[in-house]
């Protein structure tokens, strides 16, 4: 069966995840984390992409980036191949280190951009590795709050969406039920099938007439019942994807 084509981003911005094969660890010590970031830096010099956020977890990696002169696949392969070669030589192993195909999702608006960035920064907290984001050494969060000497991340783009650092920290620390990329294993429907399911809950034409509280409650019910992607739900209902992401 042919692979599904990777969904292209309208903005050139993507949330990317690399996972260790069979869920195995891809970092065994501090030097490994540093080496991975070295390969990110080297790929940036060649591919000219910009990093807006990252988090290196023991068995997977999240990167929020904007595509540069090369396609996203070529840029990520530069990182993955370089690091895998280093890791295999260091630990005397052979074969694949990462799952064959990295996962990605497009980030097409500012609302979802900030949701993804927060999701990435909160990964270590949700995995019960640390209590505070700044206590985790291997994410971009400390670059944003000026507690890291690394200069991998372009923090200007995100910070322009906040009036000050205090508001940035407040947003990053907000408790949430963000579900980005790795949890988006949605059921696939044709648009007509999805429309039929939604119409059994509510007349789609009436959605925009509801007050915000009632509308959000109905949207949550639709998401829970259909398990469809936010993108398809937006296409079928005419309700913006940013709204679907937040309910």
């Amino acid at each position: 069966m042919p692979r599904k084509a990777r969904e292209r981003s309208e903005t050139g911005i993507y949330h990317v995840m690399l996972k260790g094969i069979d869920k195995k660890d891809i970092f065994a010590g501090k030097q490994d984390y540093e080496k991975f970031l070295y390969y990110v830096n080297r790929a940036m010099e060649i591919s000219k992409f910009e990093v807006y956020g990252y988090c290196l977890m023991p068995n997977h990696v999240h990167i929020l980036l904007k595509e540069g002169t090369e396609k996203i696949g070529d840029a990520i392969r530069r990182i993955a191949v370089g690091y895998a070669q280093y890791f295999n030589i260091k630990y005397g192993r052979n074969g694949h280190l990462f799952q064959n195909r990295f996962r990605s999702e497009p980030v097409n608006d500012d609302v979802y951009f900030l949701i993804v960035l927060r999701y990435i920064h909160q990964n270590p907290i949700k995995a019960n590795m640390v209590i505070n984001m700044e206590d985790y050494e291997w994410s971009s969060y400390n670059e944003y709050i000026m507690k890291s000497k690394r200069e991998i991340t372009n923090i200007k783009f995100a910070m322009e969406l906040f009036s000050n650092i205090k508001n940035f920290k407040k947003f990053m620390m907000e408790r949430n039920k963000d579900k980005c990329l790795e949890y988006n294993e949605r059921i696939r429907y044709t648009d007509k099938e999805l429309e039929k399911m939604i119409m059994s809950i509510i007349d789609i034409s009436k959605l925009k007439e509801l007050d915000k509280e009632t509308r959000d409650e109905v949207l949550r019910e639709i998401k829970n019942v259909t398990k469809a992607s936010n993108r398809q739900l937006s296409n079928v209902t005419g309700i913006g994807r940013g709204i679907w992401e937040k309910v």
Side-chain angles (χ1 to χ4, degrees):
M1 181 180 295
R3 287 177 172 176
K4 183 181 177 182
R6 198 175 295 282
E7 189 176 352
R8 298 293 296 170
S9 169
E10 298 168 6
T11 61
I13 300 174
Y14 294 88
H15 173 202
V16 171
M17 182 170 68
L18 279 164
K19 298 177 74 173
I21 194 166
D22 297 327
K23 299 182 179 180
K24 293 179 179 177
D25 284 356
I26 54 178
F27 303 108
K30 181 174 181 177
Q31 185 181 28
D32 299 337
Y33 289 99
E34 294 285 9
K35 184 62 73 169
F36 186 91
L37 293 176
Y38 161 79
Y39 282 107
V40 171
N41 260 321
R42 195 164 81 167
M44 287 170 63
E45 291 174 1
I46 298 170
S47 299
K48 307 301 180 186
F49 61 85
E50 291 186 330
V51 172
Y52 297 132
Y54 64 86
C55 185
L56 314 186
M57 299 290 281
N59 65 359
H60 69 281
V61 170
H62 291 276
I63 308 175
L64 180 60
L65 59 83
K66 184 172 184 178
E67 202 170 45
T69 55
E70 293 185 320
K71 289 184 177 180
I72 184 175
D74 295 328
I76 298 303
R77 273 190 291 275
R78 288 187 184 279
I79 299 168
V81 170
Y83 180 76
Q85 289 176 343
Y86 150 82
F87 191 89
N88 284 352
I89 291 171
K90 181 178 179 180
Y91 295 105
R93 68 182 298 277
N94 295 301
H96 295 292
L97 178 62
F98 299 103
Q99 286 187 356
N100 287 340
R101 196 175 191 225
F102 70 91
R103 297 184 62 190
S104 69
E105 62 175 344
V107 178
N108 289 323
D109 56 62
D110 291 344
V111 172
Y112 194 56
F113 175 89
L114 292 178
I115 288 172
V116 171
L117 185 61
R118 179 172 63 190
Y119 171 78
I120 289 173
H121 286 161
Q122 288 193 3
N123 247 232
I125 293 176
K126 291 181 177 179
N128 296 315
M129 297 178 70
V130 294
I131 296 175
N132 302 305
M133 281 179 283
E134 63 192 74
D135 294 334
Y136 194 71
E137 186 176 0
W138 309 110
S139 88
S140 54
Y141 181 73
N142 281 332
E143 290 188 52
Y144 276 96
I145 64 171
M146 306 300 179
K147 287 192 174 181
S148 173
K149 294 181 180 179
R150 295 192 190 106
E151 296 182 348
I152 295 170
T153 309
N154 176 351
I155 67 173
K156 184 179 179 181
F157 183 86
M159 293 308 299
E160 287 180 345
L161 301 175
F162 295 91
S163 58
N164 53 54
I165 190 68
K166 182 179 178 180
N167 287 339
F168 170 82
K169 289 181 178 180
K170 181 181 178 181
F171 180 82
M172 287 295 124
M173 291 186 289
E174 279 181 1
R175 300 180 74 173
N176 59 78
K177 295 182 180 179
D178 297 344
K179 295 180 180 180
C180 304
L181 195 59
E182 63 183 310
Y183 296 105
N184 285 346
E185 297 293 344
R186 300 295 189 185
I187 299 172
R188 301 187 188 281
Y189 307 96
T190 65
D191 284 354
K192 286 186 177 181
E193 289 172 337
L194 181 57
E195 181 180 356
K196 185 176 180 180
M197 289 190 70
I198 295 172
M199 291 294 283
S200 70
I201 299 170
I202 188 173
D203 185 338
I204 292 174
S205 66
K206 304 295 185 184
L207 277 173
K208 293 183 179 180
E209 299 175 9
L210 301 174
D211 63 85
K212 183 179 182 301
E213 185 177 352
T214 304
R215 181 204 66 190
D216 289 353
E217 185 177 343
V218 173
L219 296 188
R220 281 191 289 271
E221 181 182 358
I222 291 171
K223 287 182 74 169
N224 289 335
V225 170
T226 66
K227 307 298 184 186
S229 70
N230 292 320
R231 180 173 178 271
Q232 190 179 22
L233 287 167
S234 177
N235 289 341
V236 170
T237 63
I239 301 295
R241 181 174 171 179
I243 294 173
W244 282 105
E245 300 290 358
K246 292 191 287 186
V247 298

